[in-house]
Amino acid sequence: MREIRNRIKAIKSTGQITHAMELVASSKMRRAQQAAEAGHPYAALLMDITDMVVDDSSMSGRIDTSRFFANPKCGRRLIIVLSTDKGLCGALNANLFKKVAQLGNECDFIAVGKRAERFLARTGRSVLNAMKISDKVEFSETRRIAKFAGKLAREGKVGSIEVLYSMYVNTLRQEPTLVKLAPIDDLEPFIERMRKAYKLKIQPRPEDLRVMNFEPSPKEILERLPAYYFTQALHQMALDAKASEQSARRVAMKAASDNADALVSELTLDYNKARQAAITTEIQELSAASAGSEE
């Protein structure tokens, strides 16, 4: 009985901790979701600007954007892995690392988060840099990662840039996703993919017959836009990864709290049974002693 009491006390203490962590994760999850949604208007504005530039009648010929981060001579793939710094978030990181294990040897990695850094180092993979982002996911943090990746591409050290992250679907579902961000072979499929990723309503832009002047030239604008898209897309994925982390942690902590409550109920029942058995045994012993003294 003493052992059961100690177990009940320990489980109740652990349940209080997991419940507190569940509440914290719920608060952070709401903020992360709001931050992810707040970035959608900026992405939509970039897409509208691109549509206007492409449709401009002054454009002569097709702008070649394939050279952005493109290096056909280099077969190395740069994978940016967005993981977490802390655990207790279910199978979120494990699912990401399963994807990493399926990649070939022609890959270099940028580890974002301590969990990815440890896993990549333990498996002996090529890690070019280890970075981190805070819970707030500041744009300056993701821009620093984008600049480092862009520098490697422009120096000819990598031929493509991909991002492996946990795409936020809903509170109960997060999918490990590998997205190729560069080179951008064609802007139109890239814009279409970003619209779907941001869950934006795909509506045709209303026809505008006004003549628009672009400063600088439309060609120069279109050549610069892919860099903005790359940074914005990476930032949005980081926001989604953070929302996935907090959602997974909330679900994991809620499951732990529920299991703690169920285990306490089972142990309490066992304790009551043991106590009842002890009382019954004592009554039987007293009855037997009383009967013996009467004889």
Side-chain angles (χ1 to χ4, degrees), residues 55-159:
D55 294 341
D56 184 68
S57 59
S58 65
M59 294 289 291
S60 58
R62 186 177 181 82
I63 300 298
D64 182 18
T65 58
S66 62
R67 69 173 185 273
F68 177 67
F69 288 167
N71 183 15
K73 297 181 181 179
C74 182
R76 303 291 297 181
R77 300 166 60 188
L78 178 62
I79 312 295
I80 303 174
V81 184
L82 301 177
S83 71
T84 67
D85 289 328
K86 302 176 182 179
L88 300 177
C89 51
L92 189 74
N93 290 316
N95 293 334
L96 279 179
F97 300 154
K98 287 180 182 178
K99 285 275 189 180
V100 173
Q102 297 172 0
L103 299 174
N105 296 325
E106 297 297 321
C107 295
D108 297 318
F109 294 88
I110 295 178
V112 181
K114 292 182 180 179
R115 297 288 169 168
E117 182 181 357
R118 293 173 185 172
F119 173 80
L120 295 172
R122 187 170 64 251
T123 54
R125 298 181 181 271
S126 174
V127 181
L128 301 181
N129 201 346
M131 300 182 174
K132 61 182 299 183
I133 54 178
S134 62
D135 287 340
K136 293 183 179 180
V137 190
E138 300 289 347
F139 188 76
S140 59
E141 296 172 334
T142 51
R143 182 171 54 190
R144 184 171 62 252
I145 300 172
K147 284 185 176 181
F148 180 79
K151 180 182 178 182
L152 292 175
R154 286 189 293 272
E155 292 175 352
K157 297 181 179 179
V158 295

Side-chain angles (χ1 to χ4, degrees), residues 68-274:
F68 177 67
F69 288 167
N71 183 15
K73 297 181 181 179
C74 182
R76 303 291 297 181
R77 300 166 60 188
L78 178 62
I79 312 295
I80 303 174
V81 184
L82 301 177
S83 71
T84 67
D85 289 328
K86 302 176 182 179
L88 300 177
C89 51
L92 189 74
N93 290 316
N95 293 334
L96 279 179
F97 300 154
K98 287 180 182 178
K99 285 275 189 180
V100 173
Q102 297 172 0
L103 299 174
N105 296 325
E106 297 297 321
C107 295
D108 297 318
F109 294 88
I110 295 178
V112 181
K114 292 182 180 179
R115 297 288 169 168
E117 182 181 357
R118 293 173 185 172
F119 173 80
L120 295 172
R122 187 170 64 251
T123 54
R125 298 181 181 271
S126 174
V127 181
L128 301 181
N129 201 346
M131 300 182 174
K132 61 182 299 183
I133 54 178
S134 62
D135 287 340
K136 293 183 179 180
V137 190
E138 300 289 347
F139 188 76
S140 59
E141 296 172 334
T142 51
R143 182 171 54 190
R144 184 171 62 252
I145 300 172
K147 284 185 176 181
F148 180 79
K151 180 182 178 182
L152 292 175
R154 286 189 293 272
E155 292 175 352
K157 297 181 179 179
V158 295
S160 64
I161 301 176
E162 302 168 59
V163 180
L164 178 60
Y165 74 109
S166 298
M167 183 176 67
Y168 177 81
V169 180
N170 53 49
T171 304
L172 299 176
R173 184 181 174 191
Q174 302 86 32
E175 296 181 354
T177 306
L178 183 64
V179 177
K180 180 181 177 182
L181 285 184
I184 301 174
D185 301 322
D186 196 345
L187 270 180
E188 293 181 3
F190 183 79
I191 294 174
E192 184 74 13
R193 186 171 71 244
M194 289 300 101
R195 284 186 181 273
K196 291 181 179 179
Y198 297 158
K199 300 177 183 179
L200 298 174
K201 295 181 180 179
I202 303 176
Q203 297 178 351
R205 184 167 52 84
E207 184 178 359
D208 195 340
L209 300 178
R210 293 176 297 176
V211 178
M212 297 187 182
N213 295 324
F214 293 93
E215 293 290 343
S217 65
K219 180 178 180 180
E220 189 174 353
I221 292 175
L222 194 56
E223 287 177 346
R224 292 184 180 182
L225 278 177
Y228 290 105
Y229 270 116
F230 177 80
T231 306
Q232 174 62 26
L234 179 61
H235 182 67
Q236 193 67 37
M237 291 174 188
L239 290 173
D240 282 353
K242 190 60 65 173
S244 297
E245 175 188 350
Q246 302 301 341
S247 299
R249 183 168 290 115
R250 177 188 178 276
V251 172
M253 292 300 99
K254 187 178 187 309
S257 299
D258 294 342
N259 291 337
D261 293 339
L263 195 54
V264 167
S265 298
E266 293 177 3
L267 289 174
T268 301
L269 182 61
D270 292 340
Y271 175 78
N272 292 335
K273 288 181 179 179

Side-chain angles (χ1 to χ4, degrees), residues 28-48:
K28 290 184 177 180
M29 180 187 69
R30 284 192 291 269
R31 289 200 298 268
Q33 291 174 353
Q34 292 171 358
E37 293 174 358
H40 294 170
Y42 182 75
L45 179 60
L46 276 176
M47 294 169 191
D48 290 339

Side-chain angles (χ1 to χ4, degrees), residues 1 272-285:
M1 290 175 61
N272 292 335
K273 288 181 179 179
R275 190 177 67 169
Q276 185 176 8
I279 294 173
T280 302
T281 301
E282 290 179 0
I283 293 175
Q284 290 176 348
E285 291 175 353

